[in-house]
Amino acid sequence: MSRTVKNPAELESCFQPLTGSYRQADCQFLLTPLQAKFFSIQEKERLIQSGEKHYSEMISFESPPSEAYLALFRNMTERYKSRLAAEVMRLAHSIANTRPAPITLVSLARAGTPIGALLQRALSGHLQVDSRHYSISIIRDRGIDEQALAFLLREDQRPADGMVFVDAWTAKGVITEELKRSIARWNARHPEQLKDTLYVISDIGGVAGVAATYEDYVIPSGILNAPVSGLVSRSILNHQIQPGQFHGCVLYEHLRQYDVSHWFLDEVEAEMDAKMVAPLPSAPREQRYAQTRVYLDRWIKRYGVKNINHIKPGIAEATRVMLRRVPERLLLRDPEAEDIAHLLILAEEKGVIVEHQPNMPFNAVAFIKTIKTT
C-alpha cells in the first residue's frame, strides 16, 4: 500500500509532534492519532487468517497489566538494567564512530521505541553527540512510512547519512527484510540515499546489520505493551489515514496510571557510563541464521504449520503472541528459568499448551493458533 509523498511545502501542515507520555527530548512519534474501533483478539485473528483484513488495519483494546505482572516487569528491569545499559552504550559507540553527526535515530514503532529513546540519551547525554530520536511505522507487507521519511529529510532537514534505523530485537528477519525492500524502493525514486542497516540490541536470528548480542534474553521493555512505550499503540494503516498523513496509532489514555515509560528509561540510564567501551560480539551471525532456519523447518513439519508467520521465536516475540494474538502452544527451553516466568503466567491465564524443548536455540517460542475461517 504505497501513497504519494507530498511536497515539502505541504508537509508542515500534516505534522504535529506526538510524544505520548515521553518527553520530546526522548522521542517524537511520526504517527497520526486515530479514534479506534477496537476488535477483540479472537475476531482480529479470524479476519487476519481469512484474508479479509491485514493485521495493520485493526487494533485491539489493551487491558491494564495486573499488579503481579507489573511487579514482574520491575523485577526484570532491576535484573537486566545494567546489562541493557552496557549494550545500549555498545550500540551508541558504534553509531558515533561510524555515522556523521547530526545523528537521526529512527526507531521502528513500537518495539524499537524504548531502545531508540535509550540510545538518544546515550548519544546526546553521555557521548555528547548531536542526535535526535523519532519513531516511525513499518508494517509487514506494507513497508515503511515514506511520508515520515520525507518529513525527516525535507521538512526537518535531517541529513540522510546520519539516519540510523533501530529496533529492539530481530528473530526470523521479517521486518529486517521489509526495511531493506522499503529503503531500496526509496533510494530508487528519491535523491536522498539511505542506508538500510538495522541496529538492534538482540539479534537471535542472525539477520540484523549491527547487534549488541545474539542471546535470547529478556529485554524488559519487550514484555509490556503501551505502558512502556509512551502509551502509544502499534501502528495502524487503514482507510482512516488520508494522503499526506503519517501511519496511525491510538493513544491508550486509560493506561496512564500504569505508565512506566519514563521510569524504565531512568532506571536503565542510571547504569550508563560513557566509559563503557566494549566491542560488538564476534559470534558468527551466519551460524545463528542457519540454526534458526533448521529449527523453523523442523517445527513446520512437526506441527503442520502452514504459515511461517505463525511461528514466533524468542522471548520477546513469544510475549507478543501471548499478549496480542491467539496462542496455540508455547515451547520453553527451561521452564524453571526466571526469564520466562511472565510467559508461564500468561500461558496459564490463556490455557495454552506448554512444551519443554531443552535443545532448541531459543529460550521460548510461541505458535499462533490457526483459526477456522469458514
Side-chain angles (χ1 to χ4, degrees):
M1 184 182 294
S2 61
R3 295 175 296 121
T4 302
V5 175
K6 286 198 168 190
N7 65 53
E10 296 173 286
L11 284 170
E12 187 171 4
S13 63
C14 299
F15 177 65
Q16 294 293 328
L18 177 66
T19 58
S21 64
Y22 285 118
R23 293 175 180 167
Q24 188 169 344
D26 287 327
C27 178
Q28 294 183 68
F29 293 92
L30 301 190
L31 295 170
T32 303
L34 302 175
Q35 288 293 114
K37 174 190 175 184
F38 292 117
F39 291 77
S40 71
I41 291 176
Q42 289 73 20
E43 177 66 2
K44 185 176 70 174
E45 197 66 58
R46 185 190 70 78
L47 290 168
I48 292 171
Q49 294 192 27
S50 69
E52 293 178 61
K53 286 185 179 291
H54 189 265
Y55 80 90
S56 64
E57 298 178 69
M58 303 171 288
I59 198 77
S60 295
F61 182 81
E62 284 192 18
S63 299
S66 67
E67 285 301 321
Y69 198 85
L70 265 180
L72 192 128
F73 163 77
R74 291 180 183 275
N75 289 339
M76 287 297 179
T77 300
E78 180 63 30
R79 181 179 179 186
Y80 284 117
K81 62 185 180 182
S82 293
R83 172 176 181 169
L84 183 55
E87 289 170 343
V88 168
M89 289 302 302
R90 189 176 299 169
L91 289 184
H93 278 289
S94 175
I95 292 168
N97 291 335
T98 59
R99 294 297 188 93
I103 298 294
T104 305
L105 298 168
V106 181
S107 64
L108 305 182
R110 164 175 79 171
T113 307
I115 302 305
L118 287 170
L119 276 169
Q120 169 63 13
R121 289 193 178 190
L123 285 167
S124 64
H126 295 268
L127 299 182
Q128 284 74 54
V129 173
D130 181 3
S131 66
R132 203 177 296 172
H133 171 224
Y134 296 88
S135 198
I136 74 173
S137 169
I138 187 169
I139 294 172
R140 191 187 74 226
D141 308 322
R142 300 292 189 265
I144 204 163
D145 187 348
E146 290 197 355
Q147 198 68 53
L149 292 181
F151 173 84
L152 290 173
L153 292 163
R154 297 170 189 171
E155 176 61 29
D156 214 33
Q157 299 185 340
R158 307 298 295 179
D161 55 0
M163 191 172 291
V164 177
F165 295 101
V166 175
D167 211 346
W169 63 82
T170 52
K172 299 193 303 290
V174 173
I175 293 299
T176 310
E177 290 305 311
E178 195 69 62
L179 177 66
K180 289 181 181 298
R181 286 192 295 270
S182 293
I183 299 307
R185 284 197 299 268
W186 173 275
N187 288 344
R189 293 183 288 112
H190 298 281
E192 306 93 342
Q193 298 295 287
L194 301 172
K195 293 184 178 180
D196 63 7
T197 307
L198 183 62
Y199 290 72
V200 301
I201 295 296
S202 177
D203 181 22
I204 65 172
V207 296
V210 179
T213 182
Y214 293 100
E215 293 181 31
D216 181 19
Y217 83 102
V218 174
I219 298 172
S221 57
I223 76 170
L224 273 181
N225 283 331
V228 75
S229 304
L231 302 181
V232 173
S233 75
R234 66 159 174 78
S235 55
I236 302 167
L237 185 57
N238 59 22
H239 67 279
Q240 294 172 279
I241 304 301
Q242 302 302 307
Q245 288 186 314
F246 304 132
H247 292 186
C249 70
V250 173
L251 297 176
Y252 289 119
E253 288 294 338
H254 68 287
L255 296 175
R256 189 164 290 276
Q257 71 183 90
Y258 305 95
D259 184 37
V260 289
S261 305
H262 199 75
W263 176 86
F264 176 70
L265 299 184
D266 288 345
E267 287 293 304
V268 178
E269 187 190 10
E271 303 294 317
M272 290 182 187
D273 185 342
K275 297 176 183 177
M276 291 176 173
V277 184
L280 293 169
S282 58
R285 187 177 70 174
E286 294 78 10
Q287 181 180 341
R288 189 74 187 186
Y289 178 83
Q291 195 176 37
T292 298
R293 297 296 134 179
V294 166
Y295 273 83
L296 286 172
D297 290 343
R298 183 178 302 175
W299 289 324
I300 287 170
K301 293 172 184 175
R302 177 172 177 177
Y303 298 107
V305 178
K306 304 298 183 185
N307 186 341
I308 195 171
N309 290 322
H310 287 184
I311 304 176
K312 302 293 186 179
I315 294 174
E317 286 297 303
T319 303
R320 288 293 195 259
V321 172
M322 303 299 284
L323 289 173
R324 299 202 316 220
R325 304 295 293 269
V326 178
E328 180 177 51
R329 72 181 68 244
L330 177 66
L331 310 183
L332 299 176
R333 183 158 63 182
D334 178 8
E336 303 299 320
E338 287 185 53
D339 281 17
I340 55 84
H342 67 290
L343 289 172
L344 289 174
I345 291 173
L346 294 170
E348 184 174 0
E349 288 176 356
K350 301 194 174 193
V352 174
I353 299 167
V354 179
E355 296 183 17
H356 181 204
Q357 293 202 7
N359 297 319
M360 66 180 184
F362 313 104
N363 284 321
V365 179
F367 289 68
I368 296 171
K369 186 175 183 178
T370 300
I371 305 295
K372 292 183 179 179
T373 57
T374 57

